[in-house]
Amino acid sequence: MESSQSNGETVLVESLSSLTVQDSSAATDPPQPLPPHLSHDPENNLKRSDPFQFGSRLLSQEDNVFEFNAWDHVETDDSYKEYAELQYAKQREAPVSDFDKGRFNSDPAKWWNNFYKNNTANFFKDRKWLQQEFPVLSKITKPDAGSITLLEVGAGAGNTAFPILKHNQNLNLKIHACDFSKKAVEVIRENEAYNSKNIQADVWDAASEELPPGLEEGSVDVVLMIFIFSALSPSQWKQAVQNIYRVLKPGGEVLFRDYGRGDLAQVRFKKGRYLEENFYIRGDGTRVYFFEKEELIKIWTGKETEDGGVGSTGFEVINLGVDRRLLVNRAKQLKMYRCWMQGRFRKQVKPVPG
């Protein structure tokens, strides 16, 4: 469930304290050529690796910010933070009316159905970057991976499931592609690559009290949740996490990516779109929430921090990072900050004590 496209990865950057002074004899060594993604040579002015690796275009003090269209892992500057807070204040002063709150919250599936009716399958870009972001998706498609069940929650038009199947060599991989929208499921089933042997598409509300069709408790190896949790209201989070816990095998993983607080999409919302803090209605009637890292840790583990193993929900954080990107309009000399949350959560091997 996503009405905007995005990609990227979270990269850990070594601290300056890890750097050491080189021996003076190194000065006699021949200079090493710069890799393509660090080169400012006009003949290779891409500042990117080959093949492309997200997260490699890092902005330094010596760089001209308007030299390239995007930079990775850039913290927002003070002027943007101040502007964002002013925008949030304006949004709170002009929230969605009580009438519209009821209209949008009572039947969110209606708005997602309209979204997929108004946007054909060609509107959505395949998420080819996911296997780079989550290497486990490459492992489960290998010939010797064995029997694997992958559940994608919020499968949309199939732009995650079908790229995975395209490279799949595992005859025992089965993808359950579920979405809140009946129309989205129809789009998946009508795709020429749809084969019921390897993929099953069904309508499923992640916040309902039912498990996805065809799946039992403890039957799924990997759950993929890409820009779907943000479509749920805060009151639905607990039930959704419980459902994912129920359907996963002990030791199974959740691969997660969603919007972060301070993202340009949030800051741009005008009056009449604010539902509650960090929760909004888009122009097409679909809902979107913008998360903070500590908030996601508490939602998925019940704890305040990610340290200390499994929480009361039965999940532990394998990793969780904030992916920040600076987009640049070079013609207008504008800077635009994007922010996403990306991580992995694991179901504990032993059951939670009653």
Side-chain angles (χ1 to χ4, degrees):
M1 278 186 186
E2 180 191 7
S3 56
S4 63
Q5 308 303 321
S6 53
N7 53 18
E9 69 173 339
T10 301
V11 177
L12 298 178
V13 181
E14 293 182 353
S15 65
L16 292 178
S17 61
S18 66
L19 299 179
T20 57
V21 179
Q22 298 296 319
D23 185 84
S24 59
S25 62
T28 61
D29 294 336
Q32 298 297 315
L34 282 172
H37 68 285
L38 295 180
S39 172
H40 292 266
D41 184 344
E43 296 298 320
N44 187 18
N45 201 16
L46 298 177
K47 197 156 190 179
R48 59 190 288 178
S49 58
D50 186 18
F52 181 53
Q53 294 288 316
F54 295 113
S56 63
R57 188 178 291 167
L58 306 179
L59 180 65
S60 66
Q61 291 183 346
E62 294 78 20
D63 287 318
N64 173 11
V65 68
F66 295 107
E67 183 178 3
F68 303 103
N69 292 327
W71 301 87
D72 297 308
H73 312 297
V74 179
E75 290 289 338
T76 55
D77 57 30
D78 290 340
S79 60
Y80 179 84
K81 291 177 181 177
E82 182 179 352
Y83 171 71
E85 291 302 326
L86 289 173
Q87 288 294 101
Y88 300 152
K90 292 179 181 178
Q91 293 166 0
R92 296 184 192 106
E93 291 172 356
V96 175
S97 68
D98 290 339
F99 173 78
D100 281 339
K101 280 185 180 180
R103 191 162 63 99
F104 292 121
N105 285 329
S106 62
D107 188 15
K110 167 188 173 181
W111 304 98
W112 282 109
N113 282 330
N114 289 341
F115 173 78
Y116 286 104
K117 287 177 183 177
N118 295 331
N119 297 287
T120 65
N122 293 333
F123 171 81
F124 307 95
K125 296 180 180 179
D126 285 347
R127 293 169 175 156
K128 301 175 183 178
W129 47 270
L130 273 178
Q131 291 181 329
Q132 176 180 298
E133 298 297 305
F134 300 108
V136 67
L137 294 177
S138 293
K139 294 179 181 179
I140 65 176
T141 59
K142 292 182 178 180
D144 58 352
S147 179
I148 298 290
T149 300
L150 169 67
L151 168 62
E152 183 185 6
V153 185
N159 301 90
T160 293
F162 289 122
I164 292 175
L165 286 179
K166 183 178 180 180
H167 299 285
N168 179 46
Q169 296 179 302
N170 181 4
L171 298 178
N172 296 310
L173 172 67
K174 182 63 175 285
I175 298 177
H176 286 257
C178 296
D179 200 277
F180 195 33
S181 166
K182 179 180 178 180
K183 182 60 180 178
V185 172
E186 290 176 359
V187 172
I188 293 176
R189 291 175 176 174
E190 292 169 359
N191 191 300
E192 60 182 12
Y194 186 81
N195 182 336
S196 58
K197 181 180 182 299
N198 296 113
I199 182 171
Q200 176 178 328
D202 293 292
V203 176
W204 182 57
D205 179 357
S208 69
E209 296 184 358
E210 304 294 330
L211 293 182
L215 293 175
E216 300 176 351
E217 292 196 16
S219 63
V220 172
D221 297 278
V222 179
V223 173
L224 193 56
M225 303 184 75
I226 309 298
F227 298 105
I228 183 276
F229 214 65
S230 55
L232 303 176
S233 71
S235 63
Q236 296 176 305
W237 295 340
K238 183 178 180 179
Q239 183 64 50
V241 171
Q242 289 177 349
N243 287 339
I244 300 305
Y245 179 87
R246 288 174 60 199
V247 79
L248 270 175
K249 295 177 181 178
E253 291 188 16
V254 178
L255 311 182
F256 183 97
R257 185 171 175 85
D258 224 313
Y259 298 104
R261 191 176 194 276
D263 183 70
L264 178 67
Q266 178 183 15
V267 176
R268 278 182 168 175
F269 275 112
K270 304 299 183 182
K271 63 181 182 179
R273 297 295 171 189
Y274 176 94
L275 280 170
E276 55 185 277
E277 195 66 9
N278 298 326
F279 196 36
Y280 301 83
I281 288 291
R282 297 188 182 98
D284 57 16
T286 60
R287 306 178 302 184
V288 60
Y289 191 94
F290 297 84
F291 295 95
E292 297 191 70
K293 181 178 179 180
E294 294 74 15
E295 184 176 37
L296 284 173
I297 292 171
K298 190 169 184 178
I299 292 168
W300 281 94
T301 69
K303 302 188 305 176
E304 299 296 334
T305 66
E306 59 186 303
D307 299 327
V310 177
S312 60
T313 62
F315 283 102
E316 64 178 327
V317 177
I318 302 175
N319 55 60
L320 181 62
V322 182
D323 181 6
R324 299 186 187 277
R325 186 161 306 145
L326 174 61
L327 305 183
V328 173
N329 184 322
R330 290 185 284 178
K332 296 182 179 180
Q333 299 283 288
L334 295 176
K335 295 187 291 184
M336 300 165 284
Y337 292 93
R338 302 304 309 269
C339 180
W340 302 286
M341 299 291 164
Q342 182 168 307
R344 294 160 58 206
F345 310 109
R346 178 164 50 215
K347 177 179 176 178
Q348 67 173 344
V349 176
K350 296 181 179 179
V352 178

